Each structure stands twice: as structure tokens, then as C-alpha cells.
Amino acid sequence: MADTRTIHFWGAGTMRTFRPLWVAEELGLAYELCGIGPRTGETQTEDYTRLNPKQKIPFMQDAHMGLSESVAISRYLIARYGSADSLLTPETLEARAREDEWVSYVYGELDETALYVMRRHGDLKAIYGEAPAAVTSAKAYAEKHLGVIAQHLQSQEFVVGDRFGLADVMLVSCLDWAVRYEFDLLPKLQTYRDIHRQRPAYRRAYAVNYQGAAKV
């Protein structure tokens, strides 16, 4: 259930900043966004470094609780503010483990190991260096694991359980990222993505995250 206090987010314009905003919208939370970018110099200021010494986005402040990393922020919001009729909140050890399994898989194999490698040596090649072989290899790696996920979704609507949850937020955000990089999604993944992009909270968060920000 939404709290009366206002949560503050820093960061906009990337898929990683999009995730906690989407979760906040799904939960009906009041929040304020300081839409700083990842490479505008704004994360390097003294004020922001005091908040987050990692000098990365996204970052969230909820009363005394300051937290970075998109998965950690999203999980915190769901655990603190989720309700029986909101996002999936696993209640058993086994259910939590299953959600952890899929969230870790999507983040580790699609986001970090594949899509971010493509970003680092594609969009950001002026900073990190051009590496066409690495980009090609990363894309092939992502396609392999997207195939695994497509097979997993053949018999179910959501990644975990019977309700939309954090694993779905992670997967849809990575599918959006993959489409931006001109992946041809398998039919099951395309249908899954199309369905969840129609969620009102997705649309609100997407507009907030990218309003006036470069899609990077």
C-alpha cells in the first residue's frame, strides 16, 4: 500500500533507471525524480557523491533508506509497499528462491553479460573502445538465453508464479533493450512483451523515464 511520504529517485533515460520507476508506478507510490543522466557529469558532483559514492544511477532515497542498483531498489519497494493485489510478493522460501533464480538469470545473462557489452562497445565505443567481435558474440549469447526464456514461457503467462512481478519487470526491460538493438524476438517473447507494455504503469514509467532524456 502506498505511503504518504514521497520517495526520491535519481537517474533517467536508461533501462536500468526505468525498472524502479515502473515498480513505483505499479505500486501507486508518490515519488519525485531528479532525472540526471549517467554520463552528463551530474553523478560526479559532491552532492550526489555524498548520496551515492558509487556515482552511478539509479539511486533511491526513502526516508532514512538510501539504495542503489535497479534490482535492489525494486525488490525493496515491493517488499515494503507491496500488497496482496499488487506485484507478486513470494511468501515461501521456495517461491523467493525461484524468483531470485530468474531475476539473477535475466540480469546476469541478458543485461550484464550481453546487452551491456553491446552498449559498452557500441553506443559507448568512444569511451570504452570499438570491439565488433565482442558485440557480435554478446548478441549471439543473448539470443541463446532468450531462446531458453521463450521455452520457459510457453506454458505460463508470467516468468514466476501467477502474477506480474519483479522477474517480469526485468525481462520486459531487457526485451525493450534488445529490440532497440535490432534483435528479432521469438514470437512468444514478442507477444509477452507486447502484452506487458500495455500495462498503464509501464506507460507512465516509460514517459517519466524518457521525458526529455536521451534514450541511452
Side-chain angles (χ1 to χ4, degrees):
M1 182 178 296
D3 197 284
T4 55
R5 66 193 180 199
T6 299
I7 295 166
H8 294 266
F9 292 109
W10 284 260
T14 77
M15 283 301 170
R16 290 175 178 175
T17 60
F18 169 67
R19 293 165 185 157
L21 295 175
W22 187 2
V23 169
E25 291 287 354
E26 291 282 355
L27 297 174
L29 301 177
Y31 64 87
E32 292 183 1
L33 174 65
C34 180
I36 63 175
R39 288 172 180 79
T40 60
E42 294 163 297
T43 62
Q44 312 297 311
T45 66
E46 290 184 11
D47 286 345
Y48 187 75
T49 301
R50 277 194 293 271
L51 284 171
N52 183 12
K54 300 173 187 174
Q55 298 182 328
K56 305 285 286 184
I57 55 173
F59 183 77
M60 179 211 70
Q61 187 78 44
D62 180 24
H64 67 283
M65 183 68 174
L67 198 60
S68 64
E69 306 301 328
S70 64
V71 173
I73 297 169
S74 298
R75 190 179 295 286
Y76 166 84
L77 293 173
I78 295 168
R80 187 172 187 89
Y81 297 109
S83 64
D85 59 352
S86 62
L87 295 175
L88 175 71
T89 305
E91 296 181 354
T92 67
L93 172 63
E94 291 79 7
R96 289 194 297 272
R98 188 64 68 196
E99 184 181 66
D100 280 344
E101 174 190 25
W102 282 99
V103 168
S104 299
Y105 181 60
V106 172
Y107 191 78
E109 306 307 325
L110 293 183
D111 181 317
E112 288 188 309
T113 306
L115 294 167
Y116 192 74
V117 171
M118 295 178 69
R119 171 169 161 71
R120 182 181 289 264
H121 297 294
D123 295 344
L124 303 176
K125 62 186 177 184
I127 300 173
Y128 296 107
E130 189 170 6
V135 171
T136 299
S137 178
K139 186 171 185 179
Y141 188 82
E143 288 173 337
K144 171 186 174 181
H145 292 288
L146 287 170
V148 172
I149 295 168
Q151 184 62 39
H152 173 71
L153 289 172
Q154 289 297 327
S155 59
Q156 55 196 82
E157 183 178 356
F158 306 104
V159 176
V160 178
D162 60 358
R163 186 183 306 174
F164 185 84
L166 179 55
D168 299 294
V169 169
M170 295 299 298
L171 179 55
V172 175
S173 69
C174 283
L175 293 178
D176 283 353
W177 200 350
V179 168
R180 183 179 179 275
Y181 285 168
E182 301 182 341
F183 280 68
D184 293 321
L185 296 182
L186 294 166
K188 182 61 182 180
L189 295 180
Q190 186 64 63
T191 300
Y192 168 89
R193 175 177 179 258
D194 289 345
I195 289 171
H196 294 304
R197 278 167 53 89
Q198 298 305 310
R199 298 178 70 86
Y202 173 97
R203 295 188 170 198
R204 291 193 300 269
Y206 198 91
V208 169
N209 189 54
Y210 291 115
Q211 184 176 13
K215 295 185 181 181
V216 294

